[in-house]
Amino acid sequence: TCDSAKGHGELFQYLGLTYEDPRNYLFCASSYAEADSNCSVEYWCRDGVCSDGLSCFGGVGCNIQDFFRADLKAKKEANHEANRENDEEEEGSAVEEDKESNHFFCGLDWNVVSNECSSAQHCPTGIDDECELKGAICFAGTTCDSAKGHGELFQYLGLTYEDPRNYLFCASSYAEADSNCSVEYWCRDGVCSDGLSCFGGVGCNIQDFFRADLKAKKEANHEANRENDEEEEGSAVEEDKESNHFFCGLDWNVVSNECSSAQHCPTGIDDECELKGAICFAGTTCDSAKG
């Protein structure tokens, strides 16, 4: 549903970095004290360059994303309040499947986490620092439940797809690792048993054993756009170009619902996406021709 012609994607310059990125804390001013107390969007110096004789100061108490993430902060506060009220109402059952912490899961968006429970990371302490993904929040009150096995696949899907550790497999030789890789022989930490060695750079990626749904979705998007190309009459008008709807993200639905902050990727190539592990999705509802 994203449409660049409607201004979708314009907030990517502010929200495209992970929350902890040091560049989020750079602001122009005449002194550090001024930068720390009077930071604003117009004085953000992501690239370290300022005008009007001002200097770019880092490590100040402001984060540029806080000016735009009020919705995220409100959602987290609402989750906290909802769980506080639930705590007051519940009778304190100690049964494992009913524990509040069973529903604490990491992610960048509450809805995405609740829709991808199998691969989400469980964070039983409720602390953001427990989350391995940079910028992730430990959301409370998700629809995921660790007592039902949710989160068990995170050990396989928690890394970005391109991470070299996904290509490590145990075997007696590289040839064997390359031709007979399987889940039980994955050696993420480089350790093997039974006298085997851990070989890297093989032709298998551990995530391919679990991401059939993601691959199917990408292939479906590709096929849908191929059929659209065959049906359309080839209009060259900017707002009708297929590439106007190419946008980066980790999930097609999230991209289509957050067009303003999504990154446009006109080439259709995943490598164009700045966010690690992101895919350049085709056929989103975003449209760059609309701004």
Side-chain angles (χ1 to χ4, degrees):
T1 58
C2 303
D3 188 336
S4 59
K6 295 179 179 178
H8 299 159
E10 292 181 353
L11 291 184
F12 178 78
Q13 61 176 316
Y14 302 112
L15 301 177
L17 303 174
T18 60
Y19 188 82
E20 297 82 359
D21 195 298
R23 289 172 290 181
N24 289 327
Y25 299 87
L26 296 172
F27 290 86
C28 294
S30 56
S31 67
Y32 178 86
E34 181 182 30
D36 191 52
S37 61
N38 298 316
C39 47
S40 60
V41 174
E42 58 268 31
Y43 286 111
W44 184 43
C45 47
R46 166 176 173 156
D47 299 317
V49 179
C50 298
S51 58
D52 301 323
L54 300 179
S55 299
C56 186
F57 293 88
V60 302
C62 301
N63 185 310
I64 188 66
Q65 294 194 16
D66 289 337
F67 292 99
F68 302 95
R69 303 210 319 174
D71 56 334
L72 183 59
K73 292 172 66 179
K75 182 181 291 184
K76 191 175 183 182
E77 291 171 357
N79 287 338
H80 176 74
E81 179 63 21
N83 283 291
R84 186 189 64 78
E85 294 175 356
N86 287 337
D87 287 342
E88 294 174 350
E89 295 172 2
E90 67 185 9
E91 297 180 3
S93 172
V95 180
E96 175 66 22
E97 55 267 26
D98 292 331
K99 287 176 62 178
E100 178 187 6
S101 61
N102 289 359
H103 305 282
F104 293 171
F105 279 79
C106 297
L108 300 174
D109 181 277
W110 188 92
N111 291 313
V112 174
V113 173
S114 292
N115 287 324
E116 299 179 354
C117 294
S118 295
S119 59
Q121 180 188 2
H122 184 217
C123 46
T125 66
I127 300 174
D128 294 348
D129 290 344
E130 188 176 5
C131 300
E132 293 185 17
L133 179 65
K134 286 188 176 181
I137 290 171
C138 184
F139 287 106
T142 71
T143 57
C144 307
D145 189 341
S146 61
K148 297 180 180 178
H150 295 160
E152 292 180 352
L153 291 183
F154 176 75
Q155 60 176 316
Y156 303 111
L157 301 177
L159 303 174
T160 61
Y161 186 81
E162 299 81 2
D163 195 298
R165 289 171 289 180
N166 290 327
Y167 300 87
L168 296 172
F169 289 87
C170 296
S172 56
S173 67
Y174 178 86
E176 180 182 31
D178 192 50
S179 60
N180 297 316
C181 47
S182 59
V183 175
E184 59 267 32
Y185 287 111
W186 184 45
C187 46
R188 167 177 173 155
D189 299 319
V191 179
C192 297
S193 58
D194 301 325
L196 301 178
S197 299
C198 186
F199 293 90
V202 303
C204 302
N205 185 310
I206 187 65
Q207 295 194 15
D208 289 336
F209 291 99
F210 303 97
R211 304 210 321 172
D213 56 335
L214 182 59
K215 292 174 67 179
K217 181 182 290 185
K218 191 171 184 180
E219 290 171 357
N221 286 338
H222 177 75
E223 179 62 20
N225 284 290
R226 186 188 64 78
E227 293 175 355
N228 287 336
D229 286 343
E230 293 176 350
E231 294 174 0
E232 68 185 6
E233 296 180 2
S235 171
V237 180
E238 175 66 21
E239 55 269 24
D240 291 331
K241 287 177 61 179
E242 177 188 5
S243 61
N244 289 0
H245 305 280
F246 292 172
F247 278 79
C248 296
L250 301 174
D251 180 277
W252 188 92
N253 291 316
V254 173
V255 172
S256 292
N257 287 324
E258 299 181 355
C259 295
S260 295
S261 60
Q263 178 189 2
H264 185 215
C265 47
T267 66
I269 300 174
D270 294 349
D271 290 343
E272 188 176 5
C273 300
E274 293 185 17
L275 180 64
K276 285 188 177 181
I279 292 171
C280 184
F281 288 105
T284 71
T285 55
C286 307
D287 188 340
S288 60
K290 296 179 180 178

